[in-house]
Amino acid sequence: MDHRTKFEGTWIRVRSELMDHVASEGMLPEAVEWYGKNLDYNMTGGKLDRGLSVVKTAQIIKGEELDDNEYYKAAVLGWALELLGACLIVSDDIMDNSTTRRAKPCWYRVPSVGLIAINDAFMLESAIYYLLKKHFRHTPYYVDLLELFHDTTYQTEMGQLMDMTTALEGNFDLNRFSLDKHRLIIIYKTAFYSFYLPVALGMCLTGVPESYTLEGKTVEPYKVALSILLLFGEYFQSQNDFFDFSAPPELVGKIQVGTDIVENKCSWCVNIALALATPEQRKVLDENYGRKDPAAEARVKEVFEAVGVRERFAKYEADMYERLEELIAAIPEGPERGTLKRQIFMIYLEKIPKRVK
C-alpha cells in the first residue's frame, strides 16, 4: 500500500469521528446531513501534500515506520491540516469569485449552497480543534499544537489580506508592486501554512524539543526548520506565478491558463518585468495589466517575453536550488532520534523543481 492510499484510508475514521460528534450535539438531521456533504465535497480530490508531509516528517524523525497508534495520531494531524486547507479554499473561492476548484464547481457555486459556504468554512476550521482536543488533550504538547494551528491560521489570513488589498479591482497603479511586497505576501499566505506547519506538526508529535546539543553545537530545530521552509514557500509560489504565465492549460490543470494578470496580482513575473522594462514597455504594462480583456492580457505577456521573464526565472530557480541545497547540508545531523533530519527537506528539494503545478 502506498503512502497516499494508506493516508486516505484513515479519512473514513476521522470523518466518522466528526460526524458522530456533531450528531451527539443534538443537531437537526438535515444539518448533520449538510455537514457530511460539506466534508465529502471539500475534503476529497486534493493532492494531500500537506497532510502527507506531517506523516512523512514523523516517520523520518522516528527513524522507522510508525506503529498503528502513532500513524493514526500523525494522520489526524495531517487531516486537521487538510481541514484548514479546505476552510481556506472555500473562503478564498468566495473572495475571488472563482467558478471551479479541482475540476468541479466551487462549493459556494453548488446549487442551494451559496453563502451558507461561509459558515461551512467556519465548520471545517472548528473541526480541527475538536480533533486536537479528542486526541491530544492529555499530551504534553497539546498547547503547542493549538498554538501552531492558531498562529498559522492568523498568519495566513494576514497574507490573504495583503494579497487582496494589493490586487484591488480597478486600482491599476503598478508602483504599488515590488519584489519585497511579493515576498511578504508569499511568506504569510503560503509558506507558514503549506511548508512550515506540516513539518512543525510532525516534529511536535515526535517530541523534538525547542533546542538540543549535537556535535557540540546548540541546535534550535524549529528555528532552523522555519528559516529553510519559508524559503521553500517563496520558491514554490514564485514557481506558481511563473507557471501561471507560462504553462499551457493541460499543465496548469485549470480551465484557463493563469489568471494573475487579469486579477491584477502582485506576482513574481510582473515585478521582474517592471524591473527590466523600457519606458515604452512600462507604458504597455501600465495600460494593460489588471484589465479583464484577453487582448490586454496578451500585450502584457508579450512584454514578459520581450524582457526575458523565462530566462530570469531559470536563473532564479537555479540560484534558489543551490541556496536551499547549502542550507540543508549545513543542518547538524546525528543518529539521535527526536532530532532534525536533512531528509525532511530533501523531499521538498527533490520534488518542487520537477513539479508541474
Side-chain angles (χ1 to χ4, degrees):
M1 183 185 299
D2 63 35
H3 290 298
R4 181 188 173 96
T5 302
K6 184 175 181 180
F7 181 70
E8 284 181 314
T10 60
W11 171 244
I12 298 171
R13 182 175 165 188
V14 173
R15 182 190 184 280
S16 178
E17 290 180 8
L18 294 174
M19 293 299 295
D20 289 347
H21 175 250
V22 296
S24 72
E25 289 291 304
M27 289 179 64
L28 297 173
E30 56 265 38
V32 175
E33 182 183 3
W34 184 285
Y35 184 56
K37 290 178 180 178
N38 177 16
L39 292 175
D40 293 340
Y41 199 91
N42 294 302
M43 292 296 291
T44 58
K47 296 177 182 177
L48 304 179
D49 288 341
R50 299 174 186 88
L52 284 165
S53 292
V54 178
V55 179
K56 289 177 183 176
T57 298
Q59 288 176 329
I60 291 168
I61 292 172
K62 184 183 178 186
E64 59 188 56
E65 288 296 311
L66 304 174
D67 64 34
D68 290 345
N69 182 57
E70 291 169 333
Y71 186 91
Y72 187 63
K73 286 190 177 298
V76 166
L77 290 178
W79 283 113
L81 182 47
E82 291 295 328
L83 282 161
L84 177 58
C87 162
L88 295 170
I89 284 171
V90 170
S91 57
D92 189 61
D93 285 342
I94 296 171
M95 285 182 274
D96 287 345
N97 197 30
S98 300
T99 55
T100 60
R101 172 74 68 170
R102 297 171 180 167
K104 59 185 181 182
C106 298
W107 177 238
Y108 82 102
R109 295 270 186 175
V110 173
S112 81
V113 175
L115 293 184
I116 297 174
I118 296 172
N119 192 67
D120 291 335
F122 295 155
M123 291 288 288
L124 292 168
E125 182 184 11
S126 296
I128 296 167
Y129 299 101
Y130 168 72
L131 291 173
L132 294 183
K133 185 175 181 180
K134 176 179 173 64
H135 292 280
F136 301 100
R137 185 180 183 184
H138 300 295
T139 68
Y141 51 88
Y142 177 53
V143 173
D144 295 326
L145 295 177
L146 289 176
E147 289 188 345
L148 278 170
F149 273 102
H150 281 305
D151 290 349
T152 306
T153 302
Y154 191 26
Q155 288 160 338
T156 307
E157 290 163 351
M158 286 190 278
Q160 176 71 355
L161 178 61
M162 289 189 287
D163 187 32
M164 297 297 290
T165 53
T166 303
L168 288 173
E169 189 169 352
N171 189 339
F172 303 127
D173 182 7
L174 296 184
N175 289 317
R176 297 176 305 113
F177 291 175
S178 70
L179 279 174
D180 285 341
K181 185 177 287 188
H182 173 258
R183 181 174 179 274
L184 190 63
I185 293 170
I186 284 173
I187 287 173
Y188 277 84
K189 185 178 178 181
T190 302
F192 283 114
Y193 145 64
S194 293
F195 289 87
Y196 177 64
L197 183 56
V199 172
L201 291 172
M203 292 166 64
C204 194
L205 179 68
T206 48
V208 176
E210 290 292 327
S211 66
Y212 51 80
T213 301
L214 192 62
E215 299 176 0
K217 299 178 181 179
T218 298
V219 181
E220 296 179 288
Y222 291 89
K223 290 183 179 179
V224 172
L226 181 65
S227 65
I228 296 173
L229 292 164
L230 292 188
L231 203 58
F232 269 115
E234 182 181 343
Y235 176 16
F236 177 90
Q237 188 57 51
S238 297
Q239 188 186 64
N240 255 12
D241 291 355
F242 179 69
F243 286 160
D244 188 273
F245 149 63
S246 65
E250 62 269 21
L251 292 187
V252 176
K254 297 179 180 178
I255 291 176
Q256 65 186 77
V257 184
T259 58
D260 284 353
I261 293 172
V262 297
E263 290 180 357
N264 199 33
K265 293 290 187 179
C266 179
S267 78
W268 185 89
C269 296
V270 73
N271 280 295
I272 294 298
L274 289 170
L276 300 174
T278 64
E280 293 79 13
Q281 291 169 330
R282 172 59 188 258
K283 187 172 185 292
V284 173
L285 293 175
D286 285 333
E287 293 175 351
N288 293 277
Y289 198 81
R291 276 64 172 183
K292 299 186 186 301
D293 171 18
E297 182 183 14
R299 286 190 282 271
V300 171
K301 288 187 174 184
E302 287 174 4
V303 173
F304 285 3
E305 297 286 9
V307 300
V309 166
R310 290 180 187 272
E311 293 77 11
R312 286 286 176 147
F313 181 76
K315 184 179 187 308
Y316 167 84
E317 187 165 44
D319 291 346
M320 187 64 84
Y321 187 94
E322 182 179 351
R323 184 179 173 191
L324 285 163
E325 199 171 36
E326 290 173 356
L327 288 171
I328 294 168
I331 297 173
E333 187 177 69
E336 293 85 351
R337 294 187 179 185
T339 60
L340 210 51
K341 304 296 182 183
R342 294 172 194 152
Q343 186 186 348
I344 297 167
F345 307 95
M346 288 303 299
I347 291 173
Y348 290 112
L349 192 63
E350 292 165 1
K351 183 176 182 179
I352 293 178
K354 299 174 183 177
R355 75 189 183 99
V356 283
K357 196 67 176 177

